[in-house]
Amino acid sequence: MARYAMVIDTRRCIGCQSCTVACKVHNELPVDMIYNPVTTVGPTGVFPNLHMVHIPLLCMHCENTPCVDACPTGASLRREDGIVWIDEKKCVGCKACVMACPYGARIFNQEKGIVQKCDFCLDRVEKGNIPRCVQSCHQKARIFGDLDDPNSEVAKLKNSHHTVRLLDELGSKPSVFYIYGLEARMK
Amino acid sequence: MKRNFDFEQEGIQVKKSCCYFCHQNCGVLAYVKDDKVLAIEGDPDFPTNTGGLCCRGNIALLHLDHPDRINYPLKRIGKRGEGKWQRISWDQALDEIAAKLAQIREEYGAEAVATAGGTQRTDDWARRRFMNLFGSPNGFHNSHLCWIPTFMIETAVCGWSPFEIDLANSRCIVLWGQNPGASNMPEMHHLSELKQKNGLKIITIDPRFTETAAKSDLWLPLRPGSDLALALAWLHVIIYEGLYDPVFVENYCEGFGELANHVEQFTPEWAEPLTWLSADLIRESARMYAMNKPGNIQWGVAMDQQGRASGAAIHARILIRAITGNLDVPGSDLLTGPSLEFITDEEMEANEYLSEEQKAKQIGADKFKLLTWPGYSKIAEMSKKYWGKAPTAEWMCEAHPPSVFRAILTGDPYPVKALLVSATNPVNSYGESKLVLEALRAVDFMVTCEYWMTPTAALSDYVLPIAGALERPTITSSYGCSDFLLASQRAIKPMYERRNDYNFWRDLGIRLGQEDMWPWETVEDAYLHKLEPLGYGSDSYDEFVEYWRFHFPERQYQKYLDKGGFGTPSGKIELYSSVLKDLGYSPLPEYVGPVENEIDHPELAKEYPLVLSTGNGFMPFHHSEHFQIPDVRFLNSEPYFQINPETAEEYGIKEGDWVWIETQRGRMKQKADVTQAVAPRVIITQRGWWFPERKMEEPDLAGCLESNTNVLTSTRDEDCCPLSGTWANRGLLCKIYKVDSTEQKEDN
Ligand code: SF4
Ligand code: SF4
Ligand code: SF4
């Protein structure tokens, strides 16, 4: 069984938001809905001594899922391969998961009356393709693959670099790992 | 690419197309069924983008059938700019346009017909072919602002512009006024990759802390428009600290003594107050480039957009490469010369058909000699002698755009009665927008080939629907000057009644007696003709794309060894340029300050105390395009300018305030982005803005002047570069004040 994960190399990310648009187009989201925003921190400091780092976000596909635990209908699910997804047919739009997710990854779709979010492009991954945001990134800042496969790029990167998980202290154990460069010292 | 898209469904064809939203032409795979594109994605096998697409590339399907696209030929039936149109057939449109052009040629001469272009995303050799055969020398683009002055000055000095950078073998790259992090995604990827793998050093020279500056080893935030002072100081450091390459200079350069004497005065201390950079930083950066060899200086538009000082700055920059020996050796900037293997754009232009008498009438050729027939002829001749072929004339040899707009208004030097516009919206993309707008309102006859009803299209007599991304084949070859090419095919036939602009020029030409000169019925036929000498044996252009897709010749370094020197009159790199001297220009780069500056113009600086830079690229737009598409517009939905917090506070300006920015030419408004990314006293505006969501009606024309940064730029002859005629976008003086909340919309 695969264990899907994403490594995000912030040394490479330029904040172009191509991933954001690619995801919106792929998932045919309304203009005001985004699964994977890119947050730019900076420039921090005082001219001309500045820093800037871009943090691409998405659902963290946590191992311990506060969202799934909060869902009263069983619409929120976590697969064995680590992908957290929503069975849209079962979602009643109560937004309990929206409140529970510490990463703001879940969004209520006004038009459809349900909650939606990134599902690691389940439809593509099941056919052996990489997620849309990963393919669209010119800079190869998002890397996707199977952590259990020691030859996969994600596994290699994760094992050879110091990586960080967001809000790790909550114990949610995300499957998304960040590499920070020296230039990416955060305030 | 839609969710759950079935790549393997029956009847699906994968077309090797490309993105058409900027010059990169990233490779795109289009999944097509029944002549409909169902999905697209970046082509993983394309050498530049390797599967990536920027945000624009991703919305190709929203662009393809956007409800605002122009799909049929339109003829104006109301007053000009009134927005009343009649749908007509292509035949009727072409017949009527041809008749009108013939009448103008009869009455005023062929030179009374001019054409305006934008970026290199059109079938431009065909435009030139039409104009040459028609007899007019007055075609132009925004080429002056983008690379062309660089190409011509570098070719004058070295015999070809060393624009091919051999990055994989390089140790240091200077990004001088270039921000690939927002304008060249494949290049940025390559840079990050090499930085991580090879420890490539990156020096970024830019007044803004850009996406790219943030990833650089050294950032030089110079005063906008002071690039020339910095380049001269680099020359001083490299020569007087003995960091130049004595062997290369001795054997392959001419005029080193003159250059050394000339730059003795330009010390880093001299440059400090001009560039706002410390002498130490100037020394450190010059040493980093000169001592980490081989290295590159990547071209950026900044130097092409400074008006008066542009030519000298470009000239000084090429001398830096030359004296460090960073030319044509592995890892440096390579002079590939034109392709001898395929038919180049220049060979498709029919330049020999334009008479000397007509060439002499080219508007601006008397004032700005390098990018017009006097300079181009000289360089073309030199290039033919050495390489066997000449650079493209379309782009390299053009009428001076601001002078043409003035000629429309004044009749001086002669009347210009018709303007054929293709792939540009001059109101927003050319300098001094108010003047341009007056000219567009005044010109007797105007035809626009477009995707959208732009402010320019709205003022036209005819608007013709043009094929866009996915609907046209494309050969990418650096303005027809590279020795390689990348080929992409149409994914589908153009939708509705859209056509390639190639067919516009061809069909117009045929109606004006040029039928013998247009043997290729389709663009594909013409492209196949271009490719035939390569000997791949493809029966059709599509077959070439499907099987080969690109042609890269084998890299040859140090061609000057075999060729016995460089392609200049002396056979050496002419540090002291005989070509420029013969044209009446200084053979060495003379210092001249930015067009408007506090040192030369203290009185002006009292009224306009801030320093302005305009024209840089930013995501998600390209020039004045893409404001119609909400799925990218949301990333930057309103126009913003950058201002340092210290200056903002002084003017009582807060984040998001609407602010008037005013120069001697006029004012426009944008919202404040209060940021440390720029120095105090520096204002950097966004380019291109108009508001397609508003009414396209006179006099407002969708707010085409309201937030348009080109209202501020200067195109006076005195402010233009004497060599190239490029006008002043950067290094101007401005003042700012908050928009009064009671104020109505722009009072143009
Ligand atoms: S596409 Fe890549 S570089 Fe651009 S914002 Fe997303 S992760 Fe960053
Ligand atoms: S990021 Fe939020 S939505 Fe995604 S798995 Fe974690 S808690 Fe659930
Ligand atoms: S993995 Fe797919 S759904 Fe998730 S952010 Fe990327 S593109 Fe969007």
Side-chain angles (χ1 to χ4, degrees):
Chain A
M1 179 49 73
R3 188 157 56 102
Y4 290 119
M6 192 180 289
V7 169
I8 296 183
D9 190 343
T10 66
R11 296 170 304 176
R12 290 179 168 232
C13 175
I14 50 172
C16 70
Q17 304 179 80
S18 159
C19 49
T20 306
V21 173
C23 175
K24 279 173 69 69
V25 172
H26 180 68
N27 291 298
E28 297 177 270
L29 300 179
V31 171
D32 57 356
M33 263 183 86
I34 296 173
Y35 287 172
N36 58 352
V38 181
T39 310
T40 295
V41 184
T44 52
V46 175
F47 180 93
N49 300 307
L50 305 172
H51 295 292
M52 180 159 66
V53 61
H54 311 281
I55 320 276
L57 298 166
L58 74 168
C59 167
M60 297 289 137
H61 297 277
C62 307
E63 211 175 302
N64 297 327
T65 45
C67 53
V68 174
D69 298 350
C71 177
T73 67
S76 275
L77 298 155
R78 180 172 180 279
R79 297 170 22 133
E80 252 180 85
D81 60 12
I83 297 184
V84 178
W85 67 293
I86 298 170
D87 183 346
E88 295 189 354
K89 286 194 285 299
K90 289 195 190 147
C91 178
V92 293
C94 73
K95 302 185 214 169
C97 61
V98 177
M99 304 295 288
C101 170
Y103 301 99
R106 294 176 168 250
I107 313 128
F108 183 67
N109 184 328
Q110 304 278 356
E111 287 166 26
K112 294 188 169 173
I114 54 169
V115 172
Q116 290 182 297
K117 69 165 197 73
C118 155
D119 64 357
F120 262 170
C121 283
L122 196 53
D123 65 309
R124 289 172 60 91
V125 170
E126 281 192 325
K127 288 190 191 125
N129 292 321
I130 50 174
R132 193 68 182 89
C133 58
V134 174
Q135 181 177 6
S136 187
C137 177
H138 267 287
Q139 310 306 320
K140 315 282 180 242
R142 291 177 182 256
I143 301 102
F144 178 84
D146 177 5
L147 271 188
D148 282 347
D149 171 2
N151 291 320
S152 71
E153 217 191 324
V154 262
K156 283 196 218 152
L157 274 173
K158 185 177 169 294
N159 294 334
S160 60
H161 287 75
H162 173 67
T163 58
V164 179
R165 296 196 283 196
L166 298 184
L167 303 178
D168 215 10
E169 62 278 13
L170 299 179
S172 49
K173 292 200 176 168
S175 307
V176 179
F177 300 86
Y178 289 83
I179 300 176
Y180 290 112
L182 276 180
E183 71 272 20
R185 267 168 291 167
M186 292 177 62
K187 244 211 319 214
Chain B
M1 185 65 60
K2 303 261 163 56
R3 266 193 93 79
N4 295 314
F5 179 74
D6 181 3
F7 294 89
E8 270 130 43
Q9 60 183 284
E10 205 168 315
I12 275 272
Q13 278 183 299
V14 186
K15 295 284 187 178
K16 294 180 177 175
S17 195
C18 72
C19 179
Y20 210 61
F21 300 138
C22 86
H23 302 65
Q24 304 306 324
N25 295 144
C26 287
V28 165
L29 296 179
Y31 297 86
V32 177
K33 193 172 165 175
D34 303 329
D35 210 31
K36 280 204 179 68
V37 188
L38 300 182
I40 59 137
E41 62 184 339
D43 181 351
D45 299 326
F46 205 70
T48 53
N49 62 313
T50 58
L53 285 179
C54 78
C55 48
R56 296 186 293 260
N58 276 301
I59 51 85
L61 289 182
L62 302 176
H63 189 278
L64 182 63
D65 201 12
H66 192 285
D68 295 347
R69 281 285 293 269
I70 293 168
N71 296 327
Y72 305 97
L74 300 174
K75 179 182 180 176
R76 172 170 74 78
I77 46 172
K79 286 208 296 281
R80 186 169 264 198
E82 204 185 14
K84 292 202 177 124
W85 303 96
Q86 181 192 5
R87 178 179 157 183
I88 58 171
S89 69
W90 268 96
D91 274 340
Q92 183 188 343
L94 290 162
D95 287 344
E96 291 177 13
I97 295 165
K100 184 77 188 177
L101 296 182
Q103 181 206 332
I104 290 172
R105 178 166 59 183
E106 189 66 38
E107 263 175 64
Y108 301 95
E111 63 278 9
V113 174
T115 81
T119 63
Q120 180 213 15
R121 291 181 302 129
T122 37
D123 311 317
D124 274 292
W125 56 267
R127 176 201 308 246
R128 176 59 65 117
R129 193 175 178 90
F130 169 82
M131 289 294 275
N132 282 334
L133 299 171
F134 184 78
S136 170
N138 287 328
F140 63 86
H141 291 79
N142 256 321
S143 34
H144 302 70
L145 296 181
C146 185
W147 192 54
I148 307 307
T150 291
F151 182 93
M152 292 299 272
I153 290 167
E154 292 180 351
T155 302
V157 172
C158 305
W160 194 256
S161 164
F163 63 86
E164 179 70 19
I165 60 175
D166 191 22
L167 211 48
N169 299 309
S170 168
R171 292 179 61 212
C172 176
I173 183 159
V174 182
L175 301 170
W176 201 317
Q178 197 216 18
N179 178 20
S183 63
N184 190 334
M185 305 277 125
E187 180 193 333
M188 191 68 206
H189 169 227
H190 215 47
L191 291 172
S192 301
E193 195 82 22
L194 293 169
K195 188 178 175 190
Q196 275 174 27
K197 273 198 203 128
N198 301 353
L200 174 74
K201 289 198 165 23
I202 304 178
I203 304 174
T204 294
I205 302 175
D206 200 313
R208 289 192 309 144
F209 188 68
T210 58
E211 291 84 348
T212 312
K215 309 270 187 219
S216 303
D217 295 278
L218 212 53
W219 172 45
L220 276 66
L222 78 177
R223 178 203 189 278
S226 66
D227 305 62
L228 171 57
L230 178 62
L232 290 169
W234 268 33
L235 283 168
H236 175 96
V237 173
I238 292 167
I239 293 178
Y240 287 93
E241 292 192 8
L243 304 175
Y244 62 95
D245 181 334
V247 178
F248 185 80
V249 165
E250 171 70 26
N251 293 333
Y252 300 108
C253 298
E254 183 117 318
F256 184 71
E258 285 92 338
L259 176 64
N261 289 340
H262 178 62
V263 300
E264 194 183 351
Q265 52 185 317
F266 302 126
T267 61
E269 283 70 19
W270 164 83
E272 203 175 76
L274 304 171
T275 58
W276 303 357
L277 300 171
S278 72
D280 284 347
L281 185 57
I282 295 173
R283 285 203 172 85
E284 187 190 346
S285 52
R287 288 174 191 150
M288 189 184 269
Y289 170 72
M291 294 168 74
N292 286 282
K293 279 175 39 173
N296 312 97
I297 304 182
Q298 170 67 302
W299 161 79
V301 288
M303 277 192 190
D304 298 326
Q305 301 200 351
Q306 298 179 0
R308 196 170 62 177
S310 275
I314 293 163
H315 189 177
R317 179 182 56 192
I318 184 66
L319 300 184
I320 295 169
R321 294 180 178 118
I323 61 167
T324 50
N326 271 324
L327 284 178
D328 225 30
V329 294
S332 74
D333 302 320
L334 310 180
L335 298 82
T336 63
S339 174
L340 301 182
E341 299 176 300
F342 53 82
I343 295 179
T344 63
D345 285 4
E346 194 277 330
E347 294 170 283
M348 300 290 281
E349 290 174 339
N351 290 309
E352 59 282 12
Y353 286 82
L354 187 67
S355 69
E356 291 303 318
E357 186 197 344
Q358 287 308 96
K359 285 178 187 170
K361 291 183 188 161
Q362 188 176 42
I363 293 179
D366 53 334
K367 301 179 280 193
F368 310 110
K369 296 205 173 70
L370 194 63
L371 268 57
T372 46
W373 278 107
Y376 175 80
S377 308
K378 204 170 168 56
I379 282 181
E381 194 186 318
M382 196 170 93
S383 176
K384 274 187 188 152
K385 205 165 132 202
Y386 182 82
W387 300 103
K389 292 191 185 183
T392 325
E394 186 79 348
W395 313 104
M396 308 299 171
C397 174
E398 305 212 316
H400 184 236
S403 300
V404 176
F405 291 125
R406 288 192 170 88
I408 290 173
L409 290 167
T410 63
D412 180 36
Y414 50 75
V416 173
K417 294 290 176 187
L419 191 62
L420 307 177
V421 181
S422 173
T424 184
N425 169 21
V427 186
N428 291 84
S429 57
Y430 282 83
E432 283 195 53
S433 305
K434 285 186 178 176
L435 182 127
V436 174
L437 182 56
E438 283 320 307
L440 299 182
R441 282 177 177 142
V443 71
D444 277 13
F445 184 64
M446 183 155 75
V447 178
T448 295
C449 298
E450 252 301 349
Y451 304 146
W452 313 101
M453 190 54 75
T454 62
T456 303
L459 293 172
S460 304
D461 298 290
Y462 295 85
V463 182
L464 297 170
I466 294 300
L470 303 169
E471 299 175 301
R472 57 193 296 147
T474 302
I475 289 185
T476 309
S477 64
S478 307
Y479 293 86
C481 287
S482 63
D483 63 345
F484 61 84
L485 60 80
L486 302 151
S488 307
Q489 64 186 154
R490 304 182 204 258
I492 51 168
K493 290 198 292 289
M495 294 174 74
Y496 307 100
E497 289 184 16
R498 300 173 194 161
R499 288 185 187 175
N500 259 77
D501 37 304
Y502 169 78
N503 301 90
F504 169 73
W505 300 114
R506 178 179 188 269
D507 293 350
L508 206 53
I510 288 174
R511 283 168 171 80
L512 288 160
Q514 307 173 6
E515 49 278 81
D516 294 346
M517 294 297 291
W518 296 92
W520 319 284
E521 205 175 309
T522 63
V523 204
E524 280 90 344
D525 293 344
Y527 282 176
L528 185 65
H529 168 72
K530 277 169 71 82
L531 299 176
E532 256 156 9
L534 284 172
Y536 285 93
S538 307
D539 289 331
S540 69
Y541 175 73
D542 277 301
E543 193 184 310
F544 177 83
V545 177
E546 275 152 27
Y547 286 97
W548 305 101
R549 187 82 146 127
F550 17 84
H551 172 75
F552 289 101
E554 208 186 313
R555 250 308 134 260
Q556 269 182 295
Y557 297 107
Q558 291 180 284
K559 289 173 288 300
Y560 51 88
L561 297 180
D562 285 350
K563 283 177 153 300
F566 288 88
T568 57
S570 63
K572 294 198 170 183
I573 303 264
E574 297 190 347
L575 304 176
Y576 183 93
S577 171
S578 72
V579 175
L580 297 181
K581 193 175 177 186
D582 286 355
L583 286 169
Y585 300 114
S586 169
L588 289 165
E590 303 287 345
Y591 180 72
V592 44
V595 161
E596 295 169 345
N597 70 79
E598 56 285 0
I599 296 172
D600 300 333
H601 319 104
E603 282 307 309
L604 189 69
K606 272 190 209 142
E607 196 185 340
Y608 300 96
L610 304 177
V611 179
L612 172 71
S613 180
T614 74
N616 57 276
F618 62 102
M619 280 291 168
F621 308 113
H622 188 56
H623 302 158
S624 65
E625 282 183 84
H626 290 313
F627 297 110
Q628 296 89 347
I629 300 177
D631 292 78
V632 287
R633 172 87 176 261
F634 83 93
L635 295 171
N636 188 340
S637 58
E638 292 182 297
Y640 275 89
F641 73 98
Q642 293 179 305
I643 180 170
N644 184 281
E646 197 183 300
T647 312
E649 199 186 319
E650 194 184 314
Y651 285 85
I653 289 167
K654 287 194 250 357
E655 178 72 27
D657 282 348
W658 280 102
V659 176
W660 288 113
I661 303 162
E662 185 172 329
T663 66
Q664 292 186 90
R665 273 74 53 195
R667 68 175 188 173
M668 64 99 197
K669 63 179 183 191
Q670 299 196 344
K671 291 175 95 167
D673 169 16
V674 180
T675 172
Q676 292 287 350
V678 296
R681 291 184 52 213
V682 167
I683 299 293
I684 298 189
T685 57
Q686 288 183 342
R687 70 184 181 192
W689 276 95
W690 58 288
F691 303 91
E693 65 275 19
R694 296 207 202 146
K695 273 221 166 109
M696 187 55 77
E697 241 171 35
E698 283 277 33
D700 182 59
L701 294 172
C704 70
L705 295 182
E706 193 174 306
S707 297
N708 175 355
T709 204
N710 273 317
V711 167
L712 309 176
T713 53
S714 175
T715 63
R716 294 192 313 172
D717 280 357
E718 312 82 280
D719 290 348
C720 291
C721 164
L723 289 79
S724 67
T726 186
W727 50 98
N729 278 10
R730 304 182 185 215
L732 299 162
L733 292 178
C734 71
K735 63 179 169 189
I736 58 171
Y737 44 97
K738 272 206 323 202
V739 175
D740 182 337
S741 56
T742 59
E743 238 167 337
Q744 290 301 307
K745 283 200 304 201
E746 162 72 304
D747 53 340
N748 51 66

